[in-house]
Amino acid sequence: MTLPLEGIKVIDFTGVQAGPACTQLLAWFGASVLKVERPGVGDVTRNQLRDIPDLDALYFTMLNSNKKSLELDTKTVEGKEILEELIRGADVLVENFAPGALDRMGFTWEHIQAINPRIIFGSVKGFSEGSPYADLKVYENVAQCAGGAASTTGFWDGPPTISAAALGDSNTGMHLAIGILTALLDRTRTGRGQKVAVSMQDAVLNLCRVKLRDQERLEHVGYLEEYPQYPNGTFGDAVPRGGNAGGGGQPGWILKCQGWETDPNAYIYFTIQEQNWTRTCEAIGHPEWRDDPAYATAHARQPRIFEIFKEIEVWLADKTKFEAVDILRKFEVPCAPVLSMKEIAYDPALRASGSVVEVEQERRGKFLTVGCPIKFSRFTPKITGAPLLGQHTDEVLAELGYSAKRIAELHADKVV
């Protein structure tokens, strides 16, 4: 099967998560992705959080499938020459070094563009150029705080909270992938490459747009009627933390199901949808609420919303989360079980759809990872193992025209 990006050559000059998440997507879609790594060291995630001694960590293998690996010391003259040769034949170069690091290596955007005017240069940084924080080194949780996510996550009587979802890292990588694909399309029209930059702060903010919406509403009217603080609480001058509230005008909450005392994930998310109130009342055994003025409208329900949720928990007390969802779905109540990562790992539907896949990894054997979250009607990306450090070094150098003797000399000199 021919994949859409076959023939596109990508230099993956990235590490950890944001950059590798971007280039892995491109690899899944058919691009030839070459991961350039420091000799003897490689991506730092090869060694982080290892579950098996002396094997590449799952952190690395889950973010670098379908790629090749080249060991290259870009601080040497020969290493720089090899990188320049790679740039001449590449379509895309992606980097997520600390601010200024690539420039200090001698590979500014201007120099890269001079080598190959058609190349797309993708860059991930913590903050955009011109930001007062542009020189900061940024990790996942730093980005969540700077992008507005942490301040609006958690409960009103607690501190700002970090999400376990990689809003700063993988999310930024996927934003960059969209930008790179757009630039490739533009190149077919103009024949010219360009720089595509995404900051982690901006990528987090893009996912927090509804909270920015709420900030504007708060400044206009002084309260947010769908938040738990309304009408009995108080609002300050910034969007508060709303716990597990729905946030979109449809009240929702995480509610206990049978077994919650011993199972930390025996919960469902339950949404009270305005247009489905009548059927919701029938589902939870309170048909009298349908026409009761104290419950019949969203405005009437909001002051007693937690009393309503408490009554729903009474109805849920003898039902598992799966039994509850099976009943509620018949009444078109928006809901879902709170799935643990173990349940996700062994979910037959997620495996059947390719959202969770088993991959064969050299030396490790099979391991579990995420599959492509985007489903296409004409092709299905095949997920393959991540490369061992330097696994393809000799192959890449040979393709560049280096003789076996010269390759051996480069190994001896620790250039590769």
Side-chain angles (χ1 to χ4, degrees):
M1 181 186 298
T2 300
L3 297 174
L5 294 188
E6 283 190 18
I8 297 295
K9 294 182 179 181
V10 178
I11 300 172
D12 182 352
F13 224 9
T14 73
V16 192
Q17 187 175 168
C22 168
T23 53
Q24 181 170 253
L25 269 182
L26 302 179
W28 286 350
F29 299 159
S32 175
V33 177
L34 178 63
K35 190 172 182 70
V36 179
E37 305 185 73
R38 285 189 297 162
V41 179
D43 190 318
V44 295
T45 60
R46 287 184 181 272
N47 303 314
Q48 288 185 346
L49 307 174
R50 277 179 166 161
D51 58 318
I52 301 176
D54 302 322
L55 290 186
D56 287 331
L58 291 168
Y59 196 177
F60 176 83
T61 61
M62 294 181 75
L63 284 156
N64 291 281
S65 59
N66 297 58
K67 302 178 184 180
K68 293 182 177 182
S69 172
L70 165 71
E71 288 183 282
L72 184 65
D73 185 354
T74 55
K75 294 181 180 179
T76 67
V77 173
E78 295 90 346
K80 286 182 169 64
E81 290 175 352
I82 291 170
L83 182 56
E84 287 193 357
E85 288 187 57
L86 291 171
I87 290 172
R88 286 189 185 95
D91 297 283
V92 178
L93 185 150
V94 185
E95 65 88 21
N96 65 342
F97 290 110
L102 201 59
D103 292 356
R104 290 190 293 273
M105 288 170 53
F107 287 90
T108 62
W109 160 232
E110 290 75 18
H111 180 55
I112 291 170
Q113 191 178 37
I115 296 171
N116 181 354
R118 287 175 53 81
I119 199 165
I120 309 301
F121 178 75
S123 179
V124 170
K125 291 292 178 282
F127 297 88
S128 295
E129 292 182 17
S131 166
Y133 304 113
D135 61 331
L136 284 179
K137 192 172 184 178
V138 177
Y139 288 102
E140 171 66 48
N141 294 348
V142 175
Q144 288 196 32
C145 290
S151 71
T152 57
T153 303
F155 286 83
W156 44 89
D157 56 354
T161 302
I162 299 299
S163 169
L167 306 181
D169 275 324
S170 282
N171 166 49
T172 303
M174 293 182 188
H175 273 80
L176 182 60
I178 294 169
I180 289 170
L181 294 173
T182 302
L184 284 170
L185 282 174
D186 181 69
R187 191 181 71 177
T188 64
R189 182 174 56 85
T190 65
R192 298 170 57 192
Q194 62 181 300
K195 182 177 180 179
V196 181
V198 180
S199 81
M200 295 170 74
Q201 182 186 39
D202 288 352
V204 172
L205 174 58
N206 190 40
L207 295 190
C208 291
R209 64 181 66 185
V210 296
K211 297 300 181 179
L212 187 60
R213 170 206 67 190
D214 292 348
Q215 180 63 37
E216 291 191 80
R217 293 171 54 229
L218 180 63
E219 292 177 7
H220 289 157
V221 299
Y223 60 87
L224 299 167
E225 62 184 15
E226 77 279 15
Y227 278 62
Q229 290 85 342
Y230 178 86
N232 301 317
T234 58
F235 288 87
D237 60 0
V239 173
R241 290 182 276 284
N244 292 317
Q250 307 288 347
W253 206 253
I254 291 179
L255 304 178
K256 300 172 185 174
C257 294
Q258 184 185 75
W260 68 270
E261 298 91 343
T262 56
D263 181 355
N265 296 298
Y267 293 80
I268 67 168
Y269 196 88
F270 190 106
T271 307
I272 297 177
Q273 190 178 33
E274 172 64 16
Q275 58 267 41
N276 198 42
W277 174 242
T278 295
R279 300 205 71 197
T280 301
C281 294
E282 295 169 358
I284 61 177
H286 278 284
E288 73 281 3
W289 284 353
R290 292 177 302 189
D291 303 311
D292 186 333
Y295 296 91
T297 67
H299 186 76
R301 288 190 296 272
Q302 187 61 27
R304 49 181 59 84
I305 195 67
F306 286 107
E307 296 173 21
I308 295 171
F309 286 137
K310 187 174 180 179
E311 281 297 310
I312 297 173
E313 283 193 327
V314 172
W315 178 80
L316 290 167
D318 63 349
K319 302 170 184 66
T320 69
K321 60 187 179 184
F322 298 110
E323 291 169 342
V325 169
D326 280 343
I327 294 170
L328 294 170
R329 68 201 299 182
K330 297 172 184 175
F331 291 86
E332 299 181 304
V333 175
C335 62
V338 173
L339 296 179
S340 69
M341 292 314 298
K342 183 175 182 179
E343 289 167 329
I344 291 286
Y346 295 98
D347 187 293
L350 290 174
R351 292 203 176 202
S353 70
S355 297
V356 174
V357 295
E358 283 191 345
V359 175
E360 187 72 29
Q361 176 69 26
E362 193 164 341
R363 297 183 185 173
R364 173 182 283 276
K366 286 187 177 181
F367 75 98
L368 198 66
T369 187
V370 296
C372 183
I374 307 165
K375 313 303 181 188
F376 299 89
S377 64
R378 292 185 58 193
F379 73 95
T380 300
K382 181 182 179 182
I383 313 301
T384 61
L388 301 178
L389 178 59
Q391 182 176 350
H392 305 90
T393 297
D394 292 359
E395 173 189 327
V396 171
L397 292 176
E399 289 174 354
L400 291 177
Y402 286 78
S403 67
K405 180 182 177 181
R406 182 57 182 147
I407 292 172
E409 291 172 347
L410 291 171
H411 279 294
D413 294 336
K414 297 183 179 180
V415 175
V416 298

